């Protein structure tokens, strides 16, 4: 559990800022030197290989994904991913898919999806003969409809895709749940997660303004495109969250309300209290007189 917490802290540090990302990698380099290991990611892959607890495996896989998503440069991200692959991570991921754990499978899917996305982008750059040091070339390529397969920021896109995998259904089915206000079917945790990934007005404008083949859009962009077709989608989801909050608040208040009602009933039905109050009334009238 201590090692699990360490990896969780490193994951949070890694995605918090570029300084945190740099410090996380430096920590791995330092550990490699102290333990006289050949590769800096050996500790991660070895922990994943020997772990017994499924929750620990999930945390380690999440840390790997955090390292990759926090690596902003495409070529550097591919190089780091290849370091993991060189340590037989792909074989480990195939074995992890045999685990009956939804969160672990989601982390495995994220690794595969992001790898495919980076491979496609790298192939596109090579196909166009792109010189990544030429800023004009980069601008021209990334403004072609084909290069726009991801309109959102990489980290943003990954967070959305991780969340959507929790539903295990199509975008249309998710939208239908929102339109129907199906709070119970979505669940409180997914409702709050949905609220956190809602698109901004700029993101909606960016996706709606895309005039290329909509099928070329990434998974996160397609979801936003579907969501934008729902009138007042943000207000609907906020209302569903408030509805769920109201239910839990009522359950918390119910014992206090019942105690208050019982107390009032006992006072109303207590004959000695009525007699006492009658004496108080008579005393007040006497003093007034």
């Amino acid at each position: 559990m201590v090692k699990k917490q360490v990896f969780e802290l490193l994951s949070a540090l890694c995605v918090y800022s570029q300084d945190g990302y740099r410090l996380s990698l430096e920590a791995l380099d330092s550990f490699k030197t102290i333990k006289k290991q050949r590769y800096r990611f050996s500790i991660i892959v070895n922990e994943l290989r020997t772990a017994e607890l499924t929750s620990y495996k999930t945390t380690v896989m999440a840390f790997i994904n955090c390292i990759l998503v926090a690596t902003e440069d495409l070529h550097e991200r591919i190089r780091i991913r290849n370091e993991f692959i060189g340590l037989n991570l792909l074989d480990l991921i195939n074995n992890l898919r045999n685990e009956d754990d939804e969160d672990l499978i989601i982390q495995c899917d994220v690794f595969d999806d992001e790898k495919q996305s980076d491979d496609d982008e790298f192939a596109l750059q090579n196909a166009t003969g792109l010189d990544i040091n030429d800023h004009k070339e980069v601008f021209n390529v990334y403004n072609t409809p084909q290069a726009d397969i991801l309109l959102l920021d990489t980290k943003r896109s990954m967070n959305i895709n991780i969340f959507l995998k929790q539903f295990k259904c199509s975008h249309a089915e998710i939208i239908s749940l929102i339109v129907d206000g199906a709070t119970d079917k979505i669940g409180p945790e997914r409702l709050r997660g949905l609220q956190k990934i809602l698109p901004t007005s700029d993101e909606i404008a960016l996706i709606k303004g895309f005039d290329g083949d909509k099928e070329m859009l990434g998974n996160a962009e397609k979801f936003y495109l579907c969501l934008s077709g729902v009138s007042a989608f943000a207000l609907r989801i906020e209302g569903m969250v408030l509805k769920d909050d109201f239910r839990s608040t009522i359950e918390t208040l119910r014992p206090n309300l019942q105690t208050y009602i019982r107390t009032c009933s006992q006072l109303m039905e207590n004959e000695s209290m009525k007699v006492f109050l009658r004496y108080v009334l008579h005393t007040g009238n006497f003093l007034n007189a």
Side-chain angles (χ1 to χ4, degrees):
M1 290 306 296
V2 173
K3 289 192 291 185
K4 181 175 181 290
Q5 291 172 346
V6 169
F7 279 119
E8 287 173 346
L9 288 171
L10 286 172
S11 298
L13 186 65
C14 202
V15 297
Y16 179 71
S17 67
Q18 279 300 299
D19 285 339
Y21 165 75
R22 178 179 52 78
L23 289 171
S24 296
L25 293 186
E26 286 179 0
L28 292 171
D29 284 326
S30 297
F31 187 88
K32 178 196 74 171
T33 303
I34 293 170
K35 295 297 183 180
K36 297 180 180 179
Q37 295 181 344
R38 186 174 180 181
Y39 305 107
R40 57 178 173 171
F41 295 140
S42 294
I43 173 63
I44 303 176
V45 177
N46 288 338
E47 288 296 316
L48 192 59
R49 182 181 292 111
T50 59
E52 296 181 0
L53 291 176
T54 303
S55 60
Y56 183 49
K57 295 177 184 178
T58 304
T59 299
V60 176
M61 270 304 302
F63 180 44
I64 294 173
N65 286 327
C66 285
I67 291 175
L68 292 170
V69 77
T71 307
E72 297 181 347
D73 180 74
L74 173 64
H75 287 227
E76 179 66 12
R77 190 163 60 247
I78 291 175
R79 190 181 67 78
I80 289 178
R81 185 182 289 112
N82 286 339
E83 285 188 53
F84 281 111
I85 293 174
L87 295 170
N88 296 321
L89 179 62
L90 293 182
D91 291 338
L92 282 175
I93 288 178
N94 287 333
N95 293 333
L96 292 176
R97 290 187 179 281
N98 296 325
E99 301 273 353
D100 185 20
D101 185 83
E102 182 180 350
D103 292 335
L104 180 57
I105 299 301
I106 286 175
Q107 293 299 331
C108 293
D109 287 343
V110 168
F111 182 89
D112 289 342
D113 291 347
E114 293 302 313
K115 179 181 182 302
Q116 184 62 51
S117 175
D118 284 348
D119 288 346
D120 291 343
E121 186 174 353
F122 183 75
L124 176 64
Q125 291 184 3
N126 287 345
T128 56
L130 175 66
D131 178 4
I132 61 170
N133 294 315
D134 187 331
H135 300 297
K136 290 184 178 178
E137 269 196 81
V138 172
F139 178 79
N140 290 334
V141 169
Y142 276 82
N143 276 276
T144 61
Q146 188 177 13
D148 278 340
I149 301 172
L150 296 174
L151 298 178
L152 301 172
D153 174 75
T154 304
K155 190 180 296 186
R156 174 79 160 154
S157 178
M158 178 182 175
N159 289 336
I160 296 167
N161 285 323
I162 290 175
F163 172 76
L164 292 177
K165 287 182 184 296
Q166 297 179 29
F167 281 91
K168 294 184 178 180
C169 60
S170 67
H171 293 166
E173 290 174 299
I174 298 174
I175 298 301
S176 179
L177 291 174
I178 295 172
V179 172
D180 294 341
T183 307
D184 294 332
K185 292 183 179 179
I186 296 177
E189 290 185 7
R190 290 195 298 191
L191 260 179
R192 283 158 183 74
L194 186 59
Q195 194 176 35
K196 290 178 181 177
I197 64 152
L198 286 179
T200 64
S201 56
D202 289 339
E203 288 172 334
I204 290 294
L206 177 67
I207 294 171
K208 283 190 171 181
F210 175 66
D211 57 1
D213 184 0
K214 296 294 191 291
E215 292 301 316
M216 297 294 290
L217 290 171
N219 186 56
E221 286 80 358
K222 286 178 180 176
F223 175 70
Y224 275 2
L225 189 62
C226 293
L227 189 61
S228 67
V230 179
S231 61
F233 61 84
L235 189 61
R236 286 174 181 267
I237 294 169
E238 183 181 354
M240 293 168 72
V241 171
L242 287 174
K243 178 182 176 182
D244 186 70
D245 286 342
F246 179 77
R247 182 185 306 165
S248 60
T249 301
I250 284 296
E251 290 303 319
T252 302
L253 290 176
R254 193 180 300 278
N256 294 334
L257 290 173
Q258 290 173 341
T259 300
Y260 182 79
I261 291 171
R262 284 197 303 271
T263 302
C264 291
S265 297
Q266 289 176 359
L267 288 174
M268 294 292 290
E269 296 169 2
N270 192 307
E271 290 300 325
S272 60
M273 175 63 73
K274 293 177 182 179
V275 172
F276 172 74
L277 291 177
R278 189 176 300 114
Y279 283 132
V280 171
L281 177 62
H282 290 328
T283 302
N285 290 336
F286 176 78
L287 291 174
N288 289 334

